[in-house]
Amino acid sequence: MKKLLSHAFSTKALMEQEDIIQSSIDAFIDKIGPESRTPRGLNVGQWYQMVAFDILGDMAFGESFHCVENALTNGRQAEIYTSAWTVTHDEKYFHEPYVFKPERWIDIGCKDVKEASQPFSLGPRGCLGRNHGKKKEIDQRPAAHIHSFAELEISLILAKILHRYDLEMVNKDLDWEGQSHVHVMWWKPELRVRFLPAAPPFFPSIVKR
């Protein structure tokens, strides 16, 4: 089954369907601002699942699940299997594994074993959205082009959110690690955020001499 579906996630197919992905993400970006401007904000983990479902529906079945439009999740199958959690929190592979250090991923001097992190899994049961396409497709595309469906989705969502909004965390005392539970599935606490209109960019005045 995975082999039959993999063609839809090839680099060529993704380039041809980029407008579909963009449309779902734009609808998501338009919705989260107004929806979040309440005392409780909105649970971003739940909304990321909803936009992912809508994109998947468009890509796989030709029709969105309309989760974002109706502000409703689509059942429980959005849970994520993450047995790799223990590896990414092992000091044998990552220094200070419980500290939020995103710079570790771009620091060429960092000695962490980054290959130990495999959030998309590996082998025949790995995530289909991580498909990198055939070698010929990879060799012919621009170096800066997104490598996979998952990376395309993540990059577009983050770029558009940060372009449009300033984020304000509602539950500032949240202990994310302490309130998360990992057995087979990763049970995450609510992460409530308000999406506020982004402040205009600051450009220092140029003094003519």
Side-chain angles (χ1 to χ4, degrees), residues 1 20 24 47 76 89 93 132 142 165 172 186 192 200 205:
M1 178 63 74
I20 296 174
S24 291
W47 279 76
R76 288 180 172 266
H89 289 75
Y93 303 110
H132 279 271
Y165 299 112
K172 295 181 174 61
W186 179 15
R192 295 200 162 269
S205 58

Side-chain angles (χ1 to χ4, degrees), residues 116-134:
S117 176
Q118 296 293 340
F120 298 97
S121 191
L122 296 169
R125 297 188 184 276
C127 176
L128 187 61
R130 193 67 167 87
N131 182 10
H132 279 271
K134 298 177 181 178

Side-chain angles (χ1 to χ4, degrees), residues 24-101:
S24 291
I25 293 175
D26 286 342
F28 165 76
I29 295 296
D30 290 339
K31 190 87 169 179
I32 57 177
E35 289 283 337
S36 72
R37 287 165 205 157
T38 67
R40 296 190 69 221
L42 56 77
N43 182 5
V44 291
Q46 185 180 57
W47 279 76
Y48 288 148
Q49 290 176 1
M50 291 194 293
V51 68
F53 262 110
D54 283 351
I55 294 171
L56 180 61
D58 271 326
M59 296 283 285
F61 305 109
E63 183 178 355
S64 169
F65 288 116
H66 304 290
C67 297
V68 168
E69 178 184 344
N70 299 317
L72 293 172
T73 55
N74 195 41
R76 288 180 172 266
Q77 70 259 64
E79 294 295 336
I80 303 171
Y81 177 72
T82 58
S83 60
W85 188 93
T86 53
V87 178
T88 57
H89 289 75
D90 190 334
E91 292 184 350
K92 182 167 65 174
Y93 303 110
F94 296 93
H95 77 286
E96 297 184 289
Y98 289 89
V99 178
F100 179 62
K101 286 189 172 182

Side-chain angles (χ1 to χ4, degrees), residues 141-176:
R141 69 192 173 204
H145 197 72
I146 297 300
H147 288 183
S148 69
F149 172 66
E151 291 167 333
L152 173 65
E153 189 175 358
I154 292 167
S155 299
L156 284 174
I157 289 174
L158 285 177
K160 293 195 175 199
I161 282 179
L162 297 177
H163 177 73
R164 176 85 71 89
Y165 299 112
D166 287 332
L167 279 61
E168 178 183 74
M169 189 168 180
V170 175
N171 45 343
K172 295 181 174 61
D173 297 326
L174 174 68
D175 179 3
W176 178 262

